[in-house]
CSV table of all heavy atoms in Angstrom, one decimal:
chain,number,residue,atom,x,y,z
A,1,TYR,N,24.0,-21.3,35.7
A,1,TYR,CA,24.6,-20.9,34.5
A,1,TYR,C,23.8,-19.8,33.9
A,1,TYR,O,22.6,-19.7,34.1
A,1,TYR,CB,24.9,-22.0,33.5
A,1,TYR,CG,23.7,-22.8,33.0
A,1,TYR,CD1,22.9,-22.3,32.0
A,1,TYR,CD2,23.5,-24.0,33.6
A,1,TYR,CE1,21.8,-23.0,31.6
A,1,TYR,CE2,22.4,-24.8,33.1
A,1,TYR,CZ,21.6,-24.3,32.1
A,1,TYR,OH,20.5,-25.0,31.7
A,2,GLN,N,24.4,-18.9,33.1
A,2,GLN,CA,23.8,-17.8,32.5
A,2,GLN,C,23.9,-17.8,31.0
A,2,GLN,O,25.0,-18.0,30.4
A,2,GLN,CB,24.4,-16.5,33.0
A,2,GLN,CG,23.7,-15.2,32.4
A,2,GLN,CD,24.3,-14.0,33.0
A,2,GLN,OE1,24.7,-14.0,34.2
A,2,GLN,NE2,24.4,-12.9,32.2
A,3,LEU,N,22.8,-17.7,30.2
A,3,LEU,CA,22.8,-17.6,28.8
A,3,LEU,C,22.4,-16.1,28.4
A,3,LEU,O,21.5,-15.6,28.9
A,3,LEU,CB,21.7,-18.5,28.2
A,3,LEU,CG,22.0,-20.0,28.4
A,3,LEU,CD1,20.8,-20.9,28.0
A,3,LEU,CD2,23.2,-20.4,27.5
A,4,THR,N,23.2,-15.6,27.5
A,4,THR,CA,23.1,-14.2,27.1
A,4,THR,C,22.9,-14.1,25.6
A,4,THR,O,23.8,-14.6,24.9
A,4,THR,CB,24.3,-13.3,27.6
A,4,THR,OG1,24.4,-13.4,29.0
A,4,THR,CG2,24.0,-11.8,27.2
A,5,ASP,N,21.9,-13.4,25.1
A,5,ASP,CA,21.7,-13.1,23.7
A,5,ASP,C,21.7,-11.6,23.5
A,5,ASP,O,21.4,-10.8,24.4
A,5,ASP,CB,20.4,-13.7,23.2
A,5,ASP,CG,20.4,-15.2,23.2
A,5,ASP,OD1,21.1,-15.7,22.3
A,5,ASP,OD2,19.8,-15.8,24.0
A,6,GLY,N,22.0,-11.2,22.3
A,6,GLY,CA,22.0,-9.7,22.0
A,6,GLY,C,21.8,-9.5,20.5
A,6,GLY,O,21.7,-10.4,19.7
A,7,ALA,N,21.7,-8.2,20.2
A,7,ALA,CA,21.5,-7.8,18.8
A,7,ALA,C,22.2,-6.5,18.5
A,7,ALA,O,22.5,-5.7,19.4
A,7,ALA,CB,20.0,-7.6,18.5
A,8,ASN,N,22.7,-6.3,17.3
A,8,ASN,CA,23.4,-5.1,16.8
A,8,ASN,C,22.5,-4.3,16.0
A,8,ASN,O,21.8,-4.8,15.1
A,8,ASN,CB,24.6,-5.5,16.0
A,8,ASN,CG,25.7,-6.2,16.9
A,8,ASN,OD1,26.0,-5.8,17.9
A,8,ASN,ND2,26.1,-7.4,16.4
A,9,TYR,N,22.5,-3.0,16.3
A,9,TYR,CA,21.7,-2.0,15.5
A,9,TYR,C,22.5,-0.8,15.1
A,9,TYR,O,23.5,-0.5,15.8
A,9,TYR,CB,20.5,-1.5,16.4
A,9,TYR,CG,19.4,-2.5,16.7
A,9,TYR,CD1,19.6,-3.3,17.8
A,9,TYR,CD2,18.3,-2.6,15.9
A,9,TYR,CE1,18.6,-4.3,18.1
A,9,TYR,CE2,17.3,-3.5,16.2
A,9,TYR,CZ,17.5,-4.3,17.3
A,9,TYR,OH,16.5,-5.3,17.6
A,10,SER,N,22.2,-0.2,14.0
A,10,SER,CA,22.8,1.1,13.6
A,10,SER,C,21.7,2.1,13.6
A,10,SER,O,20.5,1.8,13.4
A,10,SER,CB,23.5,0.9,12.3
A,10,SER,OG,22.5,0.7,11.3
A,11,GLU,N,22.1,3.4,13.7
A,11,GLU,CA,21.1,4.5,13.7
A,11,GLU,C,21.1,5.1,12.3
A,11,GLU,O,22.1,5.4,11.7
A,11,GLU,CB,21.5,5.6,14.7
A,11,GLU,CG,21.3,5.1,16.1
A,11,GLU,CD,21.6,6.2,17.1
A,11,GLU,OE1,22.1,7.3,16.7
A,11,GLU,OE2,21.3,6.0,18.3
A,12,LYS,N,19.9,5.3,11.7
A,12,LYS,CA,19.7,5.9,10.4
A,12,LYS,C,19.0,7.2,10.6
A,12,LYS,O,17.9,7.2,11.2
A,12,LYS,CB,18.9,5.0,9.5
A,12,LYS,CG,19.7,3.7,9.1
A,12,LYS,CD,20.7,4.0,8.0
A,12,LYS,CE,21.3,2.7,7.5
A,12,LYS,NZ,22.3,3.0,6.4
A,13,LYS,N,19.5,8.3,10.1
A,13,LYS,CA,18.9,9.6,10.2
A,13,LYS,C,18.0,9.8,9.0
A,13,LYS,O,18.4,9.6,7.8
A,13,LYS,CB,19.9,10.7,10.3
A,13,LYS,CG,20.8,10.6,11.5
A,13,LYS,CD,21.8,11.8,11.6
A,13,LYS,CE,22.6,11.7,12.9
A,13,LYS,NZ,23.6,12.8,12.9
A,14,VAL,N,16.7,10.1,9.3
A,14,VAL,CA,15.7,10.3,8.2
A,14,VAL,C,15.3,11.7,8.2
A,14,VAL,O,14.9,12.3,9.3
A,14,VAL,CB,14.5,9.4,8.5
A,14,VAL,CG1,13.4,9.6,7.4
A,14,VAL,CG2,14.9,7.9,8.5
A,15,PRO,N,15.3,12.4,7.1
A,15,PRO,CA,14.9,13.8,7.0
A,15,PRO,C,13.5,14.0,7.6
A,15,PRO,O,12.6,13.3,7.2
A,15,PRO,CB,15.0,14.2,5.6
A,15,PRO,CG,16.0,13.2,5.0
A,15,PRO,CD,15.8,11.9,5.8
A,16,GLY,N,13.3,15.0,8.4
A,16,GLY,CA,12.0,15.4,8.9
A,16,GLY,C,11.7,14.7,10.3
A,16,GLY,O,10.7,15.1,10.9
A,17,LEU,N,12.5,13.8,10.7
A,17,LEU,CA,12.3,13.2,12.0
A,17,LEU,C,13.2,13.8,13.1
A,17,LEU,O,14.3,14.2,12.8
A,17,LEU,CB,12.6,11.7,12.0
A,17,LEU,CG,11.6,10.8,11.1
A,17,LEU,CD1,12.0,9.3,11.3
A,17,LEU,CD2,10.2,11.0,11.6
A,18,ASP,N,12.6,13.8,14.3
A,18,ASP,CA,13.4,14.4,15.4
A,18,ASP,C,14.6,13.5,15.8
A,18,ASP,O,15.6,14.0,16.3
A,18,ASP,CB,12.5,14.6,16.7
A,18,ASP,CG,11.4,15.7,16.4
A,18,ASP,OD1,11.7,16.6,15.6
A,18,ASP,OD2,10.4,15.6,17.0
A,19,GLY,N,14.4,12.2,15.7
A,19,GLY,CA,15.5,11.3,16.1
A,19,GLY,C,15.7,10.2,15.0
A,19,GLY,O,15.0,10.1,14.1
A,20,PRO,N,16.8,9.5,15.2
A,20,PRO,CA,17.2,8.4,14.2
A,20,PRO,C,16.3,7.2,14.3
A,20,PRO,O,15.6,7.0,15.3
A,20,PRO,CB,18.6,8.1,14.6
A,20,PRO,CG,18.7,8.3,16.0
A,20,PRO,CD,17.8,9.5,16.3
A,21,VAL,N,16.3,6.4,13.2
A,21,VAL,CA,15.6,5.1,13.2
A,21,VAL,C,16.6,4.0,13.4
A,21,VAL,O,17.7,4.0,12.8
A,21,VAL,CB,14.8,4.9,11.8
A,21,VAL,CG1,14.2,3.6,11.8
A,21,VAL,CG2,13.8,6.0,11.6
A,22,LEU,N,16.3,3.1,14.3
A,22,LEU,CA,17.2,2.0,14.5
A,22,LEU,C,17.0,0.9,13.4
A,22,LEU,O,15.9,0.5,13.1
A,22,LEU,CB,16.9,1.4,15.9
A,22,LEU,CG,17.3,2.2,17.1
A,22,LEU,CD1,16.9,1.4,18.4
A,22,LEU,CD2,18.8,2.5,17.1
A,23,GLN,N,18.1,0.5,12.9
A,23,GLN,CA,18.1,-0.5,11.8
A,23,GLN,C,18.8,-1.7,12.4
A,23,GLN,O,20.0,-1.7,12.9
A,23,GLN,CB,18.9,-0.1,10.6
A,23,GLN,CG,18.9,-1.1,9.5
A,23,GLN,CD,19.8,-0.7,8.3
A,23,GLN,OE1,20.4,0.3,8.3
A,23,GLN,NE2,19.9,-1.6,7.3
A,24,TYR,N,18.1,-2.8,12.3
A,24,TYR,CA,18.7,-4.1,12.8
A,24,TYR,C,19.8,-4.6,11.9
A,24,TYR,O,19.6,-4.6,10.6
A,24,TYR,CB,17.6,-5.2,12.9
A,24,TYR,CG,18.1,-6.6,13.2
A,24,TYR,CD1,18.4,-6.9,14.5
A,24,TYR,CD2,18.2,-7.5,12.2
A,24,TYR,CE1,18.8,-8.2,14.9
A,24,TYR,CE2,18.7,-8.8,12.6
A,24,TYR,CZ,19.0,-9.1,13.9
A,24,TYR,OH,19.4,-10.4,14.2
């Protein structure tokens, strides 16, 4: 049998950063 867990994140754009910050 298989057990699967996961998480949801959204991307937050922060001024001055090259990429977004992941928010749980």
Side-chain angles (χ1 to χ4, degrees):
Y1 58 80
Q2 178 178 330
L3 293 167
T4 305
D5 290 287
N8 294 309
Y9 291 85
S10 68
E11 293 184 349
K12 292 284 187 178
K13 295 182 179 179
V14 179
L17 290 186
D18 292 333
V21 175
L22 288 180
Q23 178 187 2
Y24 175 79

